[in-house]
Amino acid sequence: MAAAILAVGRPGALTSQTLQRFEGVEPHMGTLVRITVYTAGPAEARTAFRAAFDRIGDLDRILSDYEPDSELNAITRTAAGRPVRVSDDLFAVLQASQDLAAATGGAFDITQGPVVRLWREARRTGRRPDAAALAGAQRLTGFRKLHLDADERTVTLDLAGMALDVGAIGKGYAASAALAVLDGLGIRSALVAVSGDLAFSEAPPGARGWRIRLHEGEQGLETLPQVIELTRAAVSTSGPSEQYVEIDGRRYSHVIDPASATGLVDDLTVTVVAPHGLAADGLDTAISVLGVEKGLALLESRPDAAALIVQRTDGRATFTMSAGFRTLLARTQ
Ligand code: AMP
Ligand code: MG
């Protein structure tokens, strides 16, 4: 995507000549996962990669909506009308999703599965989903039809045929979960990138932080720094530039506005910085649906999160940032 985030650690310098940089790449969650670690040698790096990639593989088997036997898809078959107990990981993702759904009046909504599937088909065929099919799918959606019981750790769905899709929040959760595994192995400086969802720990040796690229010097973004330097955070980006369908000259994003059951047409790319990927990934999608004004208002209740919103109209970009993002940028300069 145009505002792809690249994470670039600077080469090791004076202080930590004993640490070397290693990078591993594996396909997981329908994308490539890249992990960078600073370790004493290749053996430590190999052990770290295996443990972190395995954690992401496990989460993929829990959270995937493509894989019929994932735990997520299993509950859509079994939890209609009766509570089903789920894993801690799945419960954490569902709980955060429902909290965000409530905070956004349903703009963020993981029960959009049936609608998301119709728009995915539209991306393949290039044709707008059939109106009757969309209306039918919409009847199976709504975050209030999904019930969680934190004490019992159970999930109940109101209707058979509902489908959950945690594609808007699962990759960020996985990035932070893999980073926690690396932390547990005593690795101080690491970065996990599940596509556009990043989680990273302390700065690479000799650097002030992980350098995150915000954009590629587009017209209209000249006054926005290209890079932000951060430590111990998660950064997620949501935008239509990679996944959209063009119908009759209009671009529809893979992110759905639940109010209209339609792919978003405003070209917004939202980058969120938060302490954990669960928050960053959820918020990037939520703000995309809410738009600039309501998106920034949502952040007022999340003082530990910050957002940059880039809007493209007729080939020209404009940007808006939250007060928190401005503070982070000022620290980089
Ligand atoms: P992201 O790239 O993080 O914005 O996530 C996009 C994905 O979230 C889509 O591909 C869908 O699987 C899912 N999704 C689409 N619309 C919504 C929505 N309104 N709320 C929650 N998830 C959504
Ligand atoms: Mg997201």
Side-chain angles (χ1 to χ4, degrees):
M1 66 167 57
I5 288 191
L6 297 175
V8 189
R10 283 178 184 157
L14 303 174
T15 47
S16 316
Q17 273 157 350
T18 52
L19 289 180
Q20 291 172 267
R21 175 195 170 105
F22 295 94
E23 195 169 303
V25 182
E26 278 189 15
H28 291 283
M29 304 188 106
T31 185
L32 285 183
V33 178
R34 285 173 199 280
I35 301 182
T36 305
V37 292
Y38 284 83
T39 58
E44 291 86 347
R46 257 195 307 273
T47 306
F49 288 147
R50 194 62 276 129
F53 284 128
D54 284 351
R55 176 80 170 109
I56 293 176
D58 288 346
L59 284 175
D60 199 9
R61 279 181 288 279
I62 292 172
L63 302 175
S64 171
D65 63 299
Y66 284 90
E67 173 57 55
D69 292 329
S70 69
E71 189 184 8
L72 183 80
N73 279 333
I75 62 162
T76 65
R77 290 191 296 268
T78 56
R82 71 182 186 94
V84 169
R85 203 179 177 89
V86 299
S87 65
D88 286 346
D89 283 317
L90 183 53
F91 198 86
V93 172
L94 296 179
Q95 185 70 71
S97 299
Q98 288 296 81
D99 290 349
L100 199 49
T104 59
F108 184 92
D109 181 2
I110 59 167
T111 70
Q112 292 298 314
V115 173
V116 168
R117 283 176 191 176
L118 290 175
W119 281 95
R120 235 180 238 161
E121 207 174 298
R123 283 215 299 284
R124 276 196 303 273
T125 62
R127 282 196 308 274
R128 204 185 155 86
D130 172 68
L134 263 185
Q138 213 173 3
R139 279 194 288 276
L140 296 169
T141 66
F143 74 98
R144 291 192 181 86
K145 299 187 177 88
L146 162 63
H147 310 277
L148 302 179
D149 181 329
D151 294 332
E152 298 293 326
R153 225 180 60 219
T154 59
V155 181
T156 311
L157 302 174
D158 279 351
L159 301 172
M162 288 175 69
L164 304 182
D165 173 349
V166 296
I169 192 164
K171 291 189 178 78
Y173 180 75
S176 283
L179 188 70
V181 168
L182 298 172
D183 274 342
L185 292 171
I187 294 171
R188 276 178 56 78
S189 180
L191 179 144
V192 181
V194 185
S195 185
D197 297 294
L198 319 180
F200 40 86
S201 45
E202 301 305 330
R208 283 197 308 168
W210 292 90
R211 293 169 58 77
I212 312 296
R213 188 168 293 286
L214 297 173
H215 64 97
E216 301 284 354
E218 266 174 276
Q219 195 193 353
L221 300 180
E222 294 86 355
T223 57
L224 174 67
Q226 283 197 26
V227 168
I228 186 167
E229 265 181 334
L230 299 166
T231 57
R232 280 252 161 246
V235 178
S236 281
T237 299
S238 175
S241 351
E242 259 177 354
Q243 297 189 52
Y244 61 85
V245 54
E246 193 163 318
I247 303 167
D248 299 334
R250 268 203 131 165
R251 278 188 182 192
Y252 296 90
S253 161
H254 62 132
V255 177
I256 304 297
D257 180 357
S260 59
T262 305
L264 301 179
V265 289
D266 283 348
D267 190 340
L268 293 188
T269 299
V270 180
T271 298
V272 174
V273 182
H276 195 281
L278 191 59
D281 196 8
L283 284 169
D284 69 1
T285 313
I287 295 170
S288 295
V289 181
L290 289 174
V292 177
E293 209 173 302
K294 288 186 184 158
L296 290 178
L298 172 67
L299 282 179
E300 284 168 20
S301 60
R302 313 264 165 148
D304 57 355
L308 166 70
I309 307 171
V310 173
Q311 185 158 23
R312 294 184 181 80
T313 327
D314 304 327
R316 199 182 159 79
T318 51
F319 67 90
T320 315
M321 50 184 134
S322 70
F325 201 89
R326 210 167 289 125
T327 306
L328 291 174
L329 271 181
R331 276 193 217 140
T332 295
Q333 307 316 306

